[in-house]
């Protein structure tokens, strides 16, 4: 499909977020491998879980020689992790190449938690302590040769980090089934809700702009609070069956609460988030992870943006009249002289 192709107010958590500001919505433990299924009835039982996405990523990563982030993520599956422990897991996935060599103190500092929390995290995974976890990581995920970055300045390093995130996304997409499934869910929902607040609002607006060219009724949710609940109710009454959420750090409490409300209303939640361990995971029926860059003062989100475009393509493939709608738009745009050729 072709269209006229045309950030983050979340400050880098590693630099400016305090450890105590885990989103409150990440309630006591959550089983990483089994995302909550409330509201999944509308999906006809065809919704993939975070666990299946992570498993596909692990297989793709192993096959392609990509970094070990997916293998780390697979290690955390099936364990009930607290919000603090999910924070540590997320940090280790982001720093996959360094994880086997970090001390407990270094990992605690990077994750913004206490050193005892790192020890409890290792025990929660079934190890005697953090040294045993680190030894396991060194045994099963040995360091891989990396390009010499000594000559890169901080801006170049940030770009290289985003390139790594895109490579990891490519490994995830080696199994297209979750994205294809998501595309069908979005295509079938009339109207389709697209939610994105604060840092994620740009992703939601971009998706909505293009989706409206092929989908008959796309509604952007870009404000929280009671208005969000009102608009979810109105869309549900109009026949909506699915909601697409873009969720990026730092995760607003309103997003978690809004997704919980949407599931209670019977909507199937498809989410694009920075990690399978994001606070919204338990309120997502199908979560597709795309990492953000953390090398600059404000997070960068190239991978989530690209994943949004991939979802657009999958939705177009599931809409039988998508091509006709695009051709109609192009004809009208030409008549009106919308674009400078």
């Amino acid at each position: 499909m072709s269209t006229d192709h045309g950030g983050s107010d979340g400050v880098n958590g590693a630099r400016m977020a305090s450890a105590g500001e885990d989103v409150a919505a990440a309630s006591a433990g959550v089983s990483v491998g089994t995302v909550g299924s409330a509201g999944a009835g509308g999906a006809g039982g065809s919704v993939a879980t975070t666990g299946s996405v992570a498993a596909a990523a692990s297989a793709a990563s192993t096959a392609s020689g990509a970094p070990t982030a997916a293998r780390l993520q697979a290690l955390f599956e099936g364990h009930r992790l607290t919000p603090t422990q999910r924070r540590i897991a997320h940090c280790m996935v982001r720093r996959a190449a360094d994880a086997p060599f970090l001390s407990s103190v270094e990992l605690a500092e990077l994750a913004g938690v206490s050193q005892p929390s790192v020890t409890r995290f290792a025990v929660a995974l079934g190890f005697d302590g953090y040294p045993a976890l680190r030894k396991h990581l060194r045994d099963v995920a040995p360091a891989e040769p990396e390009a010499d970055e000594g000559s890169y300045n901080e801006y170049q390093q940030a770009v290289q980090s985003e390139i790594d995130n895109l490579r990891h996304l490519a490994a995830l997409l080696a199994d297209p089934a979750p994205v294809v499934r998501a595309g069908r869910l979005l295509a079938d929902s009339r109207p389709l809700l697209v939610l994105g607040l604060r840092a994620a609002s740009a992703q939601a607006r971009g998706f909505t702009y293009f989706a409206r060219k092929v989908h008959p009724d796309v509604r952007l949710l870009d404000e929280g609070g009671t208005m969000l609940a009102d608009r979810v109710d109105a869309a549900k009454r109009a026949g909506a069956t699915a909601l697409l959420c873009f969720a990026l750090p730092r995760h607003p409490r309103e997003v978690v609460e809004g997704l919980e409300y949407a599931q209670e209303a019977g909507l199937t939640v498809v989410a694009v988030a920075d990690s399978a361990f994001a606070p919204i995971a338990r309120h997502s029926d199908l979560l597709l992870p795309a990492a953000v860059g953390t090398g600059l003062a404000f997070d960068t989100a190239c991978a989530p943006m690209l994943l949004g475009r991939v979802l657009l393509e999958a939705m177009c493939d599931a809409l039988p009249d998508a091509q006709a709608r695009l051709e109609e738009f192009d004809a009208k745009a030409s008549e009106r002289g919308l674009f400078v050729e």
Side-chain angles (χ1 to χ4, degrees):
M1 290 293 171
S2 62
T3 61
D4 57 301
H5 293 288
S8 172
D9 81 336
V11 178
N12 182 318
R15 294 188 180 188
M16 304 183 185
S18 69
E21 291 180 346
D22 273 9
V23 178
S27 56
V30 57
S31 176
V32 175
T34 52
V35 179
S37 59
S46 64
V47 181
T49 65
T50 303
S52 66
V53 173
S58 179
S61 178
T62 301
S64 65
T68 58
R71 276 175 280 175
L72 272 174
Q73 190 161 292
L75 172 66
F76 305 141
E77 288 182 40
H79 296 280
R80 295 188 64 83
L81 302 179
T82 67
T84 296
Q85 290 166 353
R86 288 201 302 275
R87 189 186 188 104
I88 298 170
H90 186 194
C91 178
M92 293 182 73
V93 169
R94 291 191 312 183
R95 301 293 295 268
D98 302 328
F101 308 98
L102 296 172
S103 69
S104 60
V105 174
E106 290 170 330
L107 179 57
E109 182 177 347
L110 286 170
V113 302
S114 67
Q115 189 276 336
S117 294
V118 173
T119 300
R120 289 192 290 270
F121 169 72
V123 172
L125 295 178
F127 297 93
D128 292 337
Y130 181 72
L133 170 58
R134 187 169 63 173
K135 180 180 184 302
H136 174 76
L137 295 180
R138 289 177 177 179
D139 290 341
V140 302
E144 300 173 4
E146 296 181 359
D148 179 15
E149 297 184 359
S151 60
Y152 291 161
N153 61 42
E154 63 177 309
Y155 309 123
Q156 291 175 303
Q157 290 173 8
V159 173
Q160 289 297 324
S161 176
E162 283 293 64
I163 292 172
D164 289 340
N165 288 339
L166 291 173
R167 287 197 180 106
H168 183 61
L169 177 60
L172 275 174
L173 295 174
D175 176 12
V179 169
V180 171
R181 196 170 293 123
R184 290 171 180 162
L185 289 169
L186 304 182
D188 290 343
S189 183
R190 310 291 175 88
L192 169 62
L193 293 174
V194 181
L195 170 64
L197 303 182
R198 294 185 180 266
S201 62
Q203 312 298 327
R205 286 180 178 274
F207 182 95
T208 300
Y209 171 77
F210 289 114
R212 283 173 174 165
K213 298 182 186 300
V214 294
H215 192 291
D217 191 353
V218 184
R219 304 185 185 184
L220 176 66
L221 303 178
D222 56 357
E223 57 184 332
T226 57
M227 285 295 296
L228 175 57
D230 290 347
R231 295 173 71 183
V232 167
D233 287 341
K236 179 62 178 177
R237 286 194 299 270
T241 57
L243 178 151
L244 172 62
C245 173
F246 288 90
L248 300 177
R250 299 163 69 184
H251 295 274
R253 184 193 307 271
E254 290 173 305
V255 172
V256 183
E257 294 172 346
L259 293 187
E260 183 178 14
Y261 186 86
Q263 283 193 324
E264 290 175 352
L267 297 179
T268 297
V269 174
V270 177
V272 172
D274 59 299
S275 166
F277 307 102
I280 66 159
R282 66 173 300 174
H283 299 302
S284 304
D285 299 299
L286 173 52
L287 191 154
L288 304 171
V292 299
T294 58
L296 302 175
F298 295 93
D299 292 342
T300 51
C302 294
M305 182 188 71
L306 182 54
L307 182 52
R309 297 299 188 267
V310 170
L311 282 173
L312 275 168
E313 187 76 8
M315 187 181 74
C316 286
D317 291 341
L319 288 167
D321 57 349
Q323 187 61 45
R325 286 178 177 272
L326 282 176
E327 291 174 358
E328 179 184 2
F329 172 83
D330 287 341
K332 289 184 177 179
S334 179
E335 290 175 6
R336 296 164 59 193
L338 288 183
F339 304 108
V340 179
E341 300 298 336

